[in-house]
Amino acid sequence: MASADLREELTCPICLSIYTDPVTLSCSHNFCLGCIESVLNTQEGSGIYTCPVCREPFNTKPKLQKNLNLRNIVEHFIPAQQDHKVFCTYCIHSPVPAAKSCLLCEASLCDTHLRVHSKSEENVITEPTTSWDNRKCSKHKELLKYYCTEDAACICVSCSLAGDHRGHQLELLNEASEKKKNKLRNVLQKLATKRKKTERRVQSLQEHRRGVQEKAAGVTERLTALIRNIRKQLEDLEKRLLSDITRQQEQVLLTISDQIQQLEKEKDNLIRKMCHIEGLCSMTDPLTVLQEQESHKDDFCGAEKGDNEDTQRDDKQAPAVGDLDEGLISVTLYRGLVDTVNDVKRGLYVQVTDILLDVNTAGNDVTVSGDFKSASWSELNQQRPETPKRFLCSQVLSTSSFSSGRHYWEVQTSEAWGWRVGMCYPSMERRGDQSLMGNNNKSWCLCGFNKYFSGTHDSQQSPIPHTLSCWRLGILLDYEAGRLTFYELCDPIKRLHTVTFTEPLHAVFCVSWDGWVRIMC
């Protein structure tokens, strides 16, 4: 029976023979190398490859992995099968396979000799065997006929009458064998059920693996496209800024060149006048000098009167030369980056959410900043009016709840102990011990207390065996998936804690003993 089962396990499902050079597909099914190659070659024309057993599809021709363990089993099984062949004791001229063996005669018989074999009741006919000693009592050398249930041993008649097993409960070997077979069948059925469950689990994991691979490929493609788009926008922005700088430079340099040219003309005119005056100054005839002065009186007067005016005018006009407008470049850069960031936000998998604190829910020992972004513990009572929405403990909710989508925000916390950040259902209690975030089944939080961190829900703490290396946290809410995840925003970013939920949620913050939190985005 065992040999038959093993032979079945070692049989190729294509050729129905013992494996020859066995190989394995990624779906874990085994085949002869030649058999599976022949099947895959026939499928090559269709462009789709499938496993002949489970029909799992492959987009490309699957790789064949040699199964060395299975090959070793086959190599040991075949010689063993050959060695255990039993031949008829009486067919001395040529070996004839035995059909049965007689334990009393210690002979193996083919079908022909079995028909003429003595039918005496003392004969014990069994399946072909050559292991005669294993069928006899090692002490009395008699055939084993009984099974001692107390000692779990096969015994002979002498053992049952005068030996160590006298008076024990005995069973005939066939009866004991059938009972054991029934037990083994039950075990086999349980193992078969477990095997099916394992196979289903393997199949489920394989499907999940394919899903993860497909999802990773999709995310990779989308991320690559997003990064490519960002890179292109930045390159375009760089070109636009460089072009603006070049254009401004050309305009400024052109203005400077024009002014230089104009000043060069003025300089030449001044040199001409200087030469003329120097010539007059070198003359000895007074009449000539005076007459010349009268004819150029306007030039001389203009020169004398205009010196101060020209100097003042030149000083006032000096800034008009111009310079690069760095402010314009900065504004262009800023707007370009804002447009790029907005495009990035639209391409993200999550919505970066602007969260504001609801003062109407804040406890009287919570101080809320003017921009509704920070909450800190205060010894002073804020003396806010008591309403059904207001917490009596040092907590505050967000102004809005979340009932769809994927949302992300970040918070900065105090390094000291005394803060909780998380989410809650709007119906969470506002008074009593059950109103504290994490102390009920309507809220989930990450709690920081004296550098000890834990995820808390329904008063059950899940310690986080990790010391924060920074005090900035990222919170990702995936409403459709029902998941809330906390991240530590250090390098690298680490996932700290994940919880599940089923209803719309509010962000909630708790502070105590000089603790504080601030919403960063």
Side-chain angles (χ1 to χ4, degrees):
M1 178 68 178
S3 176
D5 291 342
L6 180 58
R7 183 181 183 87
E8 182 178 352
E9 291 293 331
L10 300 179
T11 299
C12 172
I14 297 177
C15 65
L16 303 181
S17 300
I18 301 298
Y19 288 117
T20 301
D21 197 7
V23 294
T24 305
L25 294 180
S26 59
C27 59
S28 303
H29 289 111
N30 303 302
F31 307 93
C32 297
L33 175 60
C35 295
I36 189 60
E37 283 186 338
S38 177
V39 171
L40 295 177
N41 288 337
T42 60
Q43 297 176 348
E44 189 169 1
S46 63
I48 300 177
Y49 301 89
T50 59
C51 171
V53 175
C54 67
R55 314 307 298 176
E56 178 177 344
F58 303 96
N59 295 329
T60 60
K61 190 173 183 179
K63 294 182 179 180
L64 304 177
Q65 183 69 35
K66 289 189 176 182
N67 195 326
L68 299 180
N69 292 333
L70 187 58
R71 186 177 68 179
N72 292 335
I73 296 174
V74 170
E75 290 176 351
H76 285 84
F77 176 77
I78 294 177
Q81 288 292 96
Q82 295 173 347
D83 293 341
H84 284 80
K85 285 185 178 179
V86 180
F87 299 97
C88 179
T89 305
Y90 302 105
C91 294
I92 57 177
H93 297 292
S94 61
V96 177
K100 298 289 182 179
S101 291
C102 178
L103 300 182
L104 180 64
C105 304
E106 295 189 359
S108 296
L109 311 154
C110 63
D111 289 331
T112 302
H113 288 101
L114 180 63
R115 285 194 292 269
V116 298
H117 187 68
S118 172
K119 306 300 181 181
S120 172
E121 294 182 357
E122 296 181 355
N123 288 331
V124 180
I125 305 300
T126 66
E127 296 299 318
T129 182
T130 57
S131 303
W132 312 111
D133 292 338
N134 294 338
R135 302 284 182 163
K136 293 184 178 181
C137 175
S138 59
K139 184 176 182 180
H140 301 103
K141 303 303 178 184
E142 297 179 9
L143 288 176
L144 300 174
K145 289 189 175 183
Y146 300 103
Y147 178 75
C148 177
T149 58
E150 296 183 22
D151 298 329
C154 297
I155 62 175
C156 65
V157 175
S158 297
C159 289
S160 65
L161 297 176
D164 297 335
H165 303 276
R166 182 176 56 186
H168 290 183
Q169 183 176 355
L170 305 178
E171 293 179 352
L172 293 175
L173 292 181
N174 289 338
E175 295 176 355
S177 175
E178 286 301 320
K179 288 183 179 180
K180 186 172 183 178
K181 285 181 180 180
N182 289 335
K183 292 181 179 179
L184 291 176
R185 291 188 185 100
N186 291 333
V187 172
L188 185 62
Q189 185 176 2
K190 292 180 180 179
L191 292 176
T193 302
K194 188 174 182 180
R195 176 186 174 183
K196 289 181 179 179
K197 290 182 179 179
T198 303
E199 288 177 345
R200 286 196 296 268
R201 178 60 179 163
V202 169
Q203 184 177 0
S204 175
L205 289 174
Q206 288 173 343
E207 292 175 355
H208 182 63
R209 179 176 61 186
R210 288 193 296 272
V212 170
Q213 291 172 340
E214 292 173 359
K215 185 175 182 180
V219 171
T220 300
E221 182 179 357
R222 183 177 177 183
L223 182 62
T224 301
L226 179 62
I227 298 297
R228 188 186 303 115
N229 184 51
I230 294 173
R231 187 181 296 112
K232 184 178 184 304
Q233 290 189 51
L234 292 177
E235 290 174 351
D236 292 343
L237 179 59
E238 180 186 21
K239 291 178 181 178
R240 186 164 70 251
L241 289 170
L242 294 178
S243 176
D244 288 346
I245 293 173
T246 301
R247 178 180 53 78
Q248 286 191 39
Q249 174 183 279
E250 291 175 350
Q251 290 177 351
V252 171
L253 292 180
L254 180 60
T255 302
I256 293 175
S257 297
D258 291 342
Q259 293 192 14
I260 289 175
Q261 186 177 3
Q262 182 179 352
L263 291 174
E264 288 289 348
K265 291 180 179 179
E266 292 181 7
K267 185 183 73 171
D268 293 340
N269 188 37
L270 292 173
I271 292 174
R272 180 184 58 76
K273 289 181 180 182
M274 289 173 59
C275 291
H276 179 67
I277 294 173
E278 287 176 354
L280 291 175
C281 292
S282 63
M283 291 182 180
T284 58
D285 183 8
L287 183 61
T288 303
V289 172
L290 293 174
Q291 290 177 343
E292 185 68 24
Q293 181 181 7
E294 290 296 332
S295 62
H296 294 83
K297 184 177 180 180
D298 293 339
D299 291 340
F300 297 150
C301 292
E304 292 174 356
K305 295 180 180 180
D307 286 344
N308 293 332
E309 295 178 0
D310 289 344
T311 302
Q312 294 176 359
R313 184 173 63 253
D314 291 343
D315 291 340
K316 292 180 180 179
Q317 291 180 351
V321 172
D323 201 350
L324 291 180
D325 189 348
E326 294 188 44
L328 176 61
I329 296 172
S330 298
V331 170
T332 304
L333 175 60
Y334 173 77
R335 291 310 311 167
L337 292 177
V338 167
D339 292 340
T340 300
V341 170
N342 289 335
D343 287 344
V344 170
K345 287 182 178 180
R346 285 191 290 270
L348 289 177
Y349 304 97
V350 297
Q351 177 182 349
V352 180
T353 305
D354 185 20
I355 290 184
L356 299 177
L357 301 179
D358 185 0
V359 180
N360 294 324
T361 65
N364 280 321
D365 51 0
V366 177
T367 299
V368 178
S369 63
D371 61 357
F372 306 106
K373 288 287 189 176
S374 296
S376 57
W377 183 79
S378 173
E379 293 183 355
L380 300 177
N381 191 313
Q382 305 295 317
Q383 297 183 350
R384 300 185 181 103
E386 184 175 341
T387 64
K389 295 173 59 178
R390 190 175 307 285
F391 287 107
L392 293 185
C393 59
S394 51
Q395 289 183 162
V396 59
L397 291 181
S398 61
T399 55
S400 57
S401 63
F402 304 91
S403 57
S404 64
R406 290 163 59 93
H407 303 269
Y408 175 78
W409 62 95
E410 296 177 1
V411 297
Q412 184 85 25
T413 70
S414 55
E415 296 185 16
W417 46 278
W419 54 263
R420 296 186 181 197
V421 294
M423 304 290 291
C424 73
Y425 294 148
S427 59
M428 187 175 73
E429 295 291 333
R430 306 302 168 98
R431 290 162 178 74
D433 294 338
Q434 289 294 308
S435 65
L436 184 63
M437 176 178 19
N439 283 10
N440 52 70
N441 61 0
K442 296 182 179 182
S443 62
W444 299 260
C445 72
L446 189 68
C447 175
F449 185 82
N450 199 19
K451 295 189 177 181
Y452 170 80
F453 304 97
S454 65
T456 306
H457 171 66
D458 202 11
S459 299
Q460 300 297 317
Q461 292 187 344
S462 302
I464 297 175
H466 172 66
T467 301
L468 294 186
S469 53
C470 66
W471 301 95
R472 189 158 177 159
L473 304 174
I475 302 173
L476 177 62
L477 171 68
D478 189 341
Y479 188 85
E480 278 69 28
R483 283 197 303 269
L484 175 67
T485 307
F486 299 88
Y487 297 92
E488 179 190 13
L489 302 182
C490 57
D491 188 14
I493 296 175
K494 297 182 179 66
R495 184 179 68 83
L496 297 175
H497 188 55
T498 298
V499 299
T500 58
F501 59 89
T502 57
E503 297 179 22
L505 300 174
H506 278 276
V508 58
F509 306 88
C510 176
V511 291
S512 62
W513 295 102
D514 295 330
W516 58 267
V517 295
R518 176 165 180 80
I519 302 166
M520 304 306 294
C521 65

